[in-house]
Amino acid sequence: MPPKRRTDSTGEHKEDKPTVKALALEYLDSLDSPTELSAKAFAIAVASKMPTARHKHLVLEWNQLRAQHMDPAKGSHLQEAFAAAPMLSLEMIKRYIDEHFAPSSSGLDQIALSNVSNAPSPASGPLARAKRARSGPALSPSTTSQSTTGSSRSSSSSSSSLSSSAVQRMADEFVQHYKEYTGRDWTLPSGTIADQILCSHIRTLTKESVLHSFVIQRTRPLLSLFDAIDADAFQKHIADSDKSEAQGQLINWQRATIEQYDASPKEIWNKLKGGWATSDLPQDVDASVAFSFRCSVYQTLLDLATVYRTHQYRLPQGKKESWYTTKVWGFLWKIIDAGGVLEYEPGEATSAASSLRKNSERDLESKQSQGRKIDGIVSCLATNLEICAVEAGKLDQGQSGTKILQDSVKMAKVLKDMFDAIHTRSNGSEAVKRELRTYGLLISGTRIDFVSFRHLEGRFFRMQTEDSVTLPPVWDEHGVSSKTIVAVVYKLMLFKSRVEKMANNIALWVQVSLDITASPDDSRPIVATMTTPGNSPRR
């Protein structure tokens, strides 16, 4: 029986693929003269023929060849040439490939995508080949490359688990969604169509991104896609949009209710013993509103004071995700539910909006898909529509932490699903699309990020992390840390107030749409959300 041939994750036979060693020897055989030997030429030659080659393998192979040919016992005709050539490092390999595969002067911004299916694909160009050489196996033109091992694995573990065929489907779906959109393009003052420029770039990405669902989160990396004038206009438009929703402030009696707890832990405990009604209210304040607000603030401070006191005023480190969501942030429902406008469902809740999108084209012969599961969902009681998503993790790794980056992709999709569901229920109004917001809370241990989501322009949406606050690890006996704790409560109450106002607007928009007779059509005024391939953990 012949030996079984080994295959890789794509099903291709390993021995049928070129290896770095074979390509290195091929490069040496191609030299007409020892003087042509060059570390840079070696790196470029191998990377051009094997874009999937890892940088560290190129370094290892070159340095091994150099050591072998410099051995006097070998009598190599390349001994002097290798002796004159430097040893390679990862930094040198990266610089050589970046210099050689640098984009031409025309750049990605010159690629027109008015007809996406016939447009030249940046994924087949030299810059894309250089990126694939650093990050993973290549796909055919007009598809997105698969992200695999190395540094890319640390930044997006779920992307590296996708097979090449799954990434192919994701790229094809992205182009399909681009073409199905029937609304207005995002056109900059110069006449440049931003949708086309961004689409060209997205098709070169080597891993799943929020951009695949037409969501812009980080602006700075996109500026280089435009010339100077267009980049300024692009950045200004996003900056103006970021300020379009006034965050407002709590009114005076609400601020006073929270600020009374800016004291030492001992003094706060004495206030908490007295109950929530510790001061008189102005005569023009509605009693039910005051009761709801004061109770939620009181219960929040009581929960926080209890968890600090239980642990000698030092929050434990390294606990599980469930510990932080239950013990530290377990009071969230008391803030969100108070007032009878919103309802918070914690604990691996399934998004109805996500389920609606995944089953939008289902028939009786196909299996129903489950909606995306997230750590918490906030719904509008009057309409039963989802408006806010909560995602939690146990470690605070900052905005560039792996968990935050992964949760950002998941959060973007869920918030867009919520946006789409509300917009559909509101009869697809352009006015609603301009004013509508959905929201998110990203919890990382003792830190919480406040996220907003809105339509930006053309096909694209904006997900913005507006603010972050962190509970102090130690609550000192003099009450210096109390200011931080009070600030956390204040910002949560203000955030809840914004979500409530939007929920009330949504109830009005939905009611108005019910009074309007409209004939639905197959147009797509909002571009579709990316459906992650089934074997992705983000699903």
Side-chain angles (χ1 to χ4, degrees):
M1 179 182 294
K4 185 176 180 180
R5 303 179 75 188
R6 294 181 298 162
T7 60
D8 62 11
S9 60
T10 65
E12 298 182 36
H13 297 294
K14 287 189 174 180
E15 56 264 42
D16 292 340
K17 289 186 173 183
T19 64
V20 173
K21 181 177 290 294
L23 292 174
L25 295 176
E26 181 181 315
Y27 164 74
L28 295 183
D29 291 341
S30 69
L31 299 177
D32 294 329
S33 167
T35 58
E36 295 179 359
L37 181 73
S38 161
K40 182 176 182 179
F42 162 83
I44 293 171
V46 176
S48 297
K49 293 185 178 181
M50 188 179 180
T52 60
R54 298 280 301 281
H55 288 186
K56 68 177 183 179
H57 294 163
L58 296 177
V59 171
L60 181 63
E61 190 60 40
W62 169 266
N63 291 339
Q64 286 181 346
L65 286 173
R66 185 173 182 272
Q68 292 170 7
H69 285 272
M70 287 177 61
D71 185 354
K74 301 288 185 180
S76 171
H77 69 291
L78 296 175
Q79 179 180 354
E80 293 184 2
F82 268 110
M87 291 184 65
L88 274 180
S89 66
L90 287 173
E91 291 76 14
M92 293 168 66
I93 286 283
K94 184 178 184 301
R95 186 174 71 252
Y96 290 157
I97 291 179
D98 285 347
E99 289 174 353
H100 183 76
F101 295 115
S104 63
S105 59
S106 58
L108 287 174
D109 56 335
Q110 299 299 314
I111 300 176
L113 282 179
S114 55
N115 184 351
V116 178
S117 60
N118 297 324
S121 171
S124 62
L127 180 59
R129 289 198 298 271
K131 288 184 176 179
R132 288 197 293 270
R134 294 192 293 273
S135 59
L139 298 175
S140 59
S142 80
T143 64
T144 306
S145 301
Q146 179 187 10
S147 173
T148 56
T149 53
S151 60
S152 62
R153 185 179 297 274
S154 65
S155 63
S156 185
S157 59
S158 61
S159 292
S160 62
S161 69
L162 296 180
S163 66
S164 58
S165 61
V167 177
Q168 170 95 36
R169 292 194 303 272
M170 184 173 69
D172 291 344
E173 184 184 347
F174 168 76
V175 174
Q176 178 185 350
H177 291 167
Y178 183 98
K179 295 167 64 178
E180 287 176 346
Y181 173 76
T182 58
R184 291 192 299 269
D185 289 327
W186 180 359
T187 305
L188 299 175
S190 67
T192 298
I193 300 177
D195 283 17
Q196 294 180 359
I197 304 299
L198 294 170
C199 184
S200 299
H201 167 68
I202 295 166
R203 296 170 72 209
T204 70
L205 298 179
T206 58
K207 66 190 68 165
E208 185 189 2
S209 164
V210 297
L211 290 167
H212 282 110
S213 292
F214 299 88
V215 178
I216 294 176
Q217 183 180 18
R218 300 172 185 268
T219 306
R220 189 178 299 276
L222 303 177
L223 297 180
S224 60
L225 303 176
F226 302 89
D227 62 29
I229 295 176
D230 284 343
D232 288 342
F234 175 81
Q235 189 172 28
K236 183 179 185 303
H237 185 89
I238 294 178
D240 291 343
S241 175
D242 288 347
K243 302 172 185 176
S244 60
E245 182 191 10
Q247 296 188 16
Q249 292 184 342
L250 298 179
I251 57 181
N252 290 338
W253 71 266
Q254 292 174 328
R255 292 174 62 95
T257 299
I258 298 173
E259 290 173 351
Q260 66 175 312
Y261 296 102
D262 184 6
S264 68
K266 183 176 179 180
E267 291 172 324
I268 289 177
W269 269 112
N270 290 333
K271 288 179 178 293
L272 292 173
K273 290 177 183 178
W276 60 267
T278 56
S279 61
D280 294 331
L281 287 171
Q283 294 182 352
D284 58 344
V285 176
D286 183 273
S288 62
V289 173
F291 175 83
S292 172
F293 186 89
R294 284 182 158 189
C295 274
S296 59
V297 170
Y298 172 83
Q299 291 172 337
T300 298
L301 266 299
L302 182 60
D303 283 4
L304 284 173
T306 300
V307 71
Y308 272 101
R309 188 175 185 179
T310 301
H311 296 90
Q312 288 74 50
Y313 295 97
R314 291 179 178 271
L315 291 181
Q317 302 297 313
K319 291 288 187 177
K320 294 181 179 179
E321 175 185 310
S322 58
W323 189 91
Y324 289 102
T325 55
T326 304
K327 299 291 185 67
V328 177
W329 302 106
F331 59 81
L332 282 178
W333 74 269
K334 298 177 182 178
I335 289 180
I336 294 171
D337 286 18
V341 177
L342 306 170
E343 183 174 39
Y344 176 44
E345 180 185 357
E348 283 298 307
T350 300
S351 169
S354 175
S355 179
L356 182 66
R357 184 254 303 174
K358 291 184 178 182
N359 294 286
S360 60
E361 299 180 1
R362 175 179 176 262
D363 55 32
L364 290 177
E365 296 181 358
S366 58
K367 185 178 179 181
Q368 185 171 3
S369 299
Q370 188 181 38
R372 189 177 298 275
K373 287 189 174 183
I374 51 180
D375 293 319
I377 293 175
V378 179
S379 301
C380 314
L381 283 175
T383 59
N384 202 32
L385 288 167
E386 299 167 346
I387 189 174
C388 179
V390 180
E391 191 64 25
K394 65 179 180 178
L395 296 177
D396 180 3
Q397 298 176 328
Q399 291 295 324
S400 298
T402 301
K403 174 67 173 170
I404 284 291
L405 293 176
Q406 292 174 347
D407 285 348
S408 293
V409 177
K410 184 176 180 180
M411 177 74 76
K413 290 184 176 181
V414 173
L415 294 185
K416 187 172 182 300
D417 286 339
M418 293 178 178
F419 189 104
D420 292 351
I422 296 170
H423 185 254
T424 300
R425 282 278 298 274
S426 303
N427 214 26
S429 165
E430 279 294 317
V432 170
K433 187 165 72 171
R434 288 193 300 270
E435 299 297 325
L436 178 59
R437 304 287 187 273
T438 53
Y439 302 93
L441 292 172
L442 277 172
I443 296 172
S444 300
T446 57
R447 193 183 91 243
I448 190 165
D449 296 343
F450 300 92
V451 177
S452 65
F453 186 96
R454 63 188 174 279
H455 178 250
L456 188 57
E457 195 69 38
R459 291 170 174 81
F460 287 88
F461 293 78
R462 169 72 163 155
M463 187 171 80
Q464 178 189 9
T465 300
E466 298 180 339
D467 201 358
S468 299
V469 288
T470 304
L471 289 169
V474 178
W475 195 350
D476 65 285
E477 61 178 345
H478 302 294
V480 176
S481 302
S482 298
K483 291 187 179 298
T484 303
I485 293 173
V486 165
V488 171
V489 177
Y490 180 91
K491 291 185 177 184
L492 282 169
M493 297 301 294
L494 182 59
F495 179 80
K496 178 263 184 91
S497 175
R498 290 175 61 195
V499 179
E500 272 189 341
K501 290 178 181 177
M502 187 57 61
N504 290 330
N505 288 338
I506 291 169
L508 178 62
W509 294 331
V510 169
Q511 182 58 44
V512 170
S513 71
L514 294 176
D515 298 334
I516 299 176
T517 302
S519 56
D521 54 34
D522 294 329
S523 65
R524 287 193 179 274
I526 290 183
V527 70
T529 307
M530 173 63 64
T531 300
T532 310
N535 60 342
S536 170
R538 294 206 188 100
R539 188 174 178 81

